[in-house]
Amino acid sequence: MTEKIWLSSYVPGVPEFIDNAGYDSLADLIDDNVKKFASKPAYANMGTEFSFAEIDAMSLSFASWLQGKGLNKGDRIALMMPNLLQYPIALFGALRAGLVVVNVNPLYTQRELQHQMSDSGARAIVIVENFAHTLEAVLDKTDLEFVITTKIGDMHSTAKRLLTNFAVEKVKKMVPPFSIPNTTAFRDTLKTDTSTFQRPELTLDDLAFLQYTGGTTGVAKGAMLSHGNLVHNVQQSNAWLGDHLADAPIVGITALPLYHIFSLEGNCFSLLQQGGLNVLISNPRDMKGFVKELANYKFSYFTGVNTLFVGLMNTPGFAELDFSSLRITIGGGMAVQRAVAEQWREVTGTPLIQAYGLTETSPAAVINPFIDHAEFTGAIGLPISSTEVSIMDDDGNQLAVGEVGEICIRGPQVMQGYWQRPEETEKVMEGDWLRTGDIGRLDEKGFVFIEDRKKDMILVSGFNVYPNEIEDVVVQMPGVVEAAAVGKPHPKSGEVVQLHVVVSDGTTSDDILAYCRENLTGYKQPREVIFHDELPKTNVGKILRRELRPD
């Protein structure tokens, strides 16, 4: 049992332990809060706003449609879309019907999408038409039976819907041609009569999400997150927030994609329980448009990654926004740089609070205290309520304060394991402790510091990139004999992928980069290719990535 030295550093009012607040499932949490805050605004996107009551009614219709098609508790449904109003409706409906949600990055390539659909065994998918051509190419290699399509503007008023969809499809030509028979329009599912809906019996142990991640190695694996994992993590997050958002209407800026675990828990579910408004930013890369949208709201809650904050602060007009309501800014997904945190405070008048978690921890595990005068220390925070952190050596022995070892976490938010991969689960679980693979230490006040990351994992703008996956793709290219992927420091994204290869013919860098564009999502694609006569290896033939990493 590790000594909880961090408790003495807790802000008054933060409890040592939390419980499930009476919720036996996420469906309970949804049902309770959409009714409690029925008249309040819940989601806004591109000028359209829905109340909790409207989200309640539409998600219940979608749940009823799913049941009517014979989709039962435990069946998997994929959601493949950016931050649109369709997402929370589909998400809440699926969970209320007892389905297991498989979140999918809409920019996935055919290879990545096929793997995730085949591995999860998803029976249904909700997909924005912009990405349906990718699905068409792999559909016959999956178990998908129901394809529900939607257009970018579908949840807006008639005039705005028609104008938006025309602009997306005809003017910007953002919807490549596709042909998938027997699809159902998402808008049509929302007309379903709810009188026959039968709420399934759900418990905290039932599976809620297959949230795909590289874990600590290789191919993407589905982290099994239960209703209990997420219910408890919401209580942990909100206990940590305390009453910091109580003095103004809660308006959260949701720029990180809701399919990412950080935004899913930290914005979607945490603000649901607080009756807050999520302002969905569909394309945060359009920084000018992003700043223009921010000007429409007196926002109080902001989550993001280091690169997002940098981009905003370098966009004209951001510094002139009204920050008078801003109370909490949380940076996660990648390290927050001191200069960025200090500039954010100077511009907005509020601190940028660093937090830490993993897909496998639902994700919140370690957060810095929310203190108005908080100074940036480089610490990733304190273990949150009902959470323990231990620094362990390779043999599972707990190390003393100040000693450097692997950060291990246990608590009610730790995943059930990896979907259908017991051997991979065993690699990261030390009893009920999750081995994060991150190297760090605890100081005498209980603050956690990261000293090094997982040895080989590359962190691009808050997204994990695993060299094994890059290498497995590249060596399938004719002419490539060997490949090794490493992270190269980058001022904007933290790191980018640098690829080292041995080739047997005249394969060029352009050839390899073009191949990667076809088979890897943008953030995974190498930005530089370096050729070698041979790659450095151990005496048993394992490639030594550490000798290839740039200084």
Side-chain angles (χ1 to χ4, degrees):
M1 181 71 177
T2 183
E3 184 184 353
K4 299 179 182 179
I5 57 175
W6 50 83
L7 294 179
S8 61
S9 298
Y10 272 19
V11 172
V14 174
E16 178 180 354
F17 297 104
I18 54 89
D19 57 25
N20 63 342
Y23 299 127
D24 290 330
S25 68
L26 286 169
D28 279 354
L29 188 148
I30 294 166
D31 289 349
D32 181 35
N33 290 289
V34 292
K35 291 175 174 58
K36 181 188 299 182
F37 301 112
S39 62
K40 297 185 66 176
Y43 284 91
N45 178 243
M46 295 187 285
T48 297
E49 194 170 277
F50 285 147
S51 68
F52 281 98
E54 290 171 312
I55 294 290
D56 179 16
M58 288 185 285
S59 65
L60 198 58
S61 289
F62 185 60
S64 301
W65 184 89
L66 293 171
Q67 285 190 343
K69 291 297 180 182
L71 288 157
N72 303 309
K73 174 184 172 180
D75 285 337
R76 273 79 66 203
I77 180 171
L79 304 183
M80 188 171 177
M81 66 188 87
N83 283 357
L84 299 171
L85 293 166
Q86 292 91 315
Y87 182 90
I89 297 167
L91 174 72
F92 290 0
L95 292 170
R96 295 171 95 172
L99 273 61
V100 177
V101 174
V102 181
N103 279 310
V104 183
N105 184 335
L107 298 181
Y108 268 174
T109 64
Q110 295 174 16
R111 181 193 66 83
E112 293 164 321
L113 179 59
Q114 180 186 332
H115 165 71
Q116 196 159 320
M117 293 302 92
S118 300
D119 189 74
S120 66
R123 291 184 62 195
I125 185 170
V126 183
I127 185 169
V128 174
E129 287 189 356
N130 302 48
F131 315 105
H133 66 288
T134 306
L135 176 62
E136 179 189 0
V138 301
L139 187 60
D140 61 351
K141 301 181 182 70
T142 73
D143 296 325
L144 289 167
E145 302 168 45
F146 305 98
V147 177
I148 304 105
T149 59
T150 189
K151 301 174 187 288
I152 292 288
D154 272 359
M155 302 313 297
H156 300 292
S157 64
T158 301
K160 187 170 185 177
R161 170 169 58 87
L162 294 174
L163 284 171
T164 300
N165 290 339
F166 179 81
V168 169
E169 296 169 24
K170 305 301 182 183
V171 180
K172 298 181 181 179
K173 299 187 184 303
M174 295 172 62
V175 183
F178 70 95
S179 178
I180 300 176
N182 303 317
T183 62
T184 300
F186 184 69
R187 280 172 52 84
D188 289 342
T189 70
L190 305 185
K191 302 171 185 176
T192 307
D193 180 14
T194 62
S195 62
T196 60
F197 177 73
Q198 293 185 332
R199 179 172 170 169
E201 292 186 13
L202 294 168
T203 71
L204 293 172
D205 292 328
D206 283 320
L207 195 57
F209 291 92
L210 289 182
Q211 194 73 14
Y212 276 75
T213 175
T216 54
T217 58
V219 68
K221 298 176 285 291
M224 296 188 292
L225 302 181
S226 69
H227 284 265
N229 290 149
L230 268 298
V231 165
H232 282 101
N233 208 221
V234 171
Q235 309 318 313
Q236 291 168 310
S237 296
N238 285 340
W240 204 258
L241 278 171
D243 60 1
H244 279 80
L245 296 174
D247 65 341
I250 300 173
V251 178
I253 300 302
T254 306
L256 299 182
L258 287 168
Y259 61 76
H260 191 285
I261 190 65
F262 180 9
S263 190
L264 177 68
E265 187 279 327
N267 290 61
C268 180
F269 288 121
S270 287
L271 293 192
L272 166 65
Q273 190 171 337
Q274 298 192 55
L277 169 65
N278 271 290
V279 179
L280 300 180
I281 308 299
S282 298
N283 182 18
R285 292 185 179 182
D286 174 12
M287 286 289 171
K288 290 183 179 179
F290 190 174
V291 170
K292 186 177 179 181
E293 187 73 359
L294 289 174
N296 296 323
Y297 296 93
K298 297 194 72 172
F299 48 90
S300 58
Y301 180 80
F302 205 120
T303 57
V305 295
N306 193 80
T307 49
L308 182 74
F309 301 129
V310 171
L312 284 171
M313 290 188 292
N314 286 319
T315 300
F318 179 76
E320 286 71 55
L321 292 174
D322 181 359
F323 299 106
S324 61
S325 295
L326 183 59
R327 299 293 181 269
I328 298 292
T329 305
I330 304 175
M334 63 186 295
V336 173
Q337 297 168 335
R338 177 181 293 276
V340 174
E342 291 175 349
Q343 185 183 0
W344 182 267
R345 179 166 187 157
E346 182 179 338
V347 170
T348 70
T350 57
L352 202 174
I353 303 296
Q354 190 163 206
Y356 170 82
L358 303 89
T359 301
E360 292 87 344
T361 58
S362 305
V366 176
I367 309 176
N368 274 290
F370 294 127
I371 304 173
D372 292 340
H373 57 274
E375 297 294 331
F376 185 85
T377 65
I380 57 173
L382 301 167
I384 58 178
S385 304
S386 293
T387 303
E388 294 176 79
V389 167
S390 179
I391 308 299
M392 295 185 183
D393 63 19
D394 290 341
D395 296 321
N397 299 312
Q398 183 177 326
L399 300 176
V401 169
E403 291 191 273
V404 175
E406 186 170 8
I407 299 171
C408 299
I409 297 169
R410 70 177 173 187
Q413 71 271 50
V414 173
M415 68 170 183
Q416 294 180 338
Y418 294 122
W419 175 251
Q420 297 180 340
R421 283 182 166 81
E423 292 182 358
E424 293 295 327
T425 302
E426 288 180 12
K427 290 179 183 178
V428 300
M429 296 304 299
E430 187 86 28
D432 53 358
W433 289 97
L434 173 74
R435 283 189 168 274
T436 68
D438 288 322
I439 306 304
R441 60 182 172 84
L442 278 169
D443 72 7
E444 67 281 355
K445 293 183 179 179
F447 284 87
V448 185
F449 291 79
I450 289 183
E451 299 293 335
D452 197 4
R453 270 202 332 279
K454 299 163 185 170
K455 290 181 293 183
D456 295 327
M457 188 263 286
I458 305 163
L459 198 61
V460 180
S461 295
F463 287 90
N464 293 350
V465 177
Y466 292 87
N468 287 358
E469 181 183 7
I470 311 300
E471 294 157 6
D472 287 346
V473 168
V474 173
V475 296
Q476 294 179 48
M477 179 180 177
V480 176
V481 179
E482 291 180 332
V486 298
K488 178 181 179 180
H490 189 273
K492 290 187 177 180
S493 60
E495 285 185 308
V496 293
V497 178
Q498 183 187 75
L499 185 67
H500 296 256
V501 296
V502 175
V503 298
S504 61
D505 55 18
T507 300
T508 67
S509 175
D510 287 343
D511 295 334
I512 293 172
L513 293 176
Y515 184 83
C516 290
R517 282 194 292 272
E518 292 179 5
N519 291 281
L520 294 165
T521 309
Y523 67 87
K524 298 178 185 177
Q525 294 168 17
R527 295 296 182 264
E528 181 181 12
V529 179
I530 298 175
F531 292 87
H532 298 259
D533 292 330
E534 60 179 324
L535 298 177
K537 298 181 180 71
T538 66
N539 57 0
V540 294
K542 183 177 180 180
I543 294 173
L544 290 168
R545 294 192 188 106
R546 66 175 180 271
E547 294 190 11
L548 297 170
R549 292 191 194 103
D551 296 332

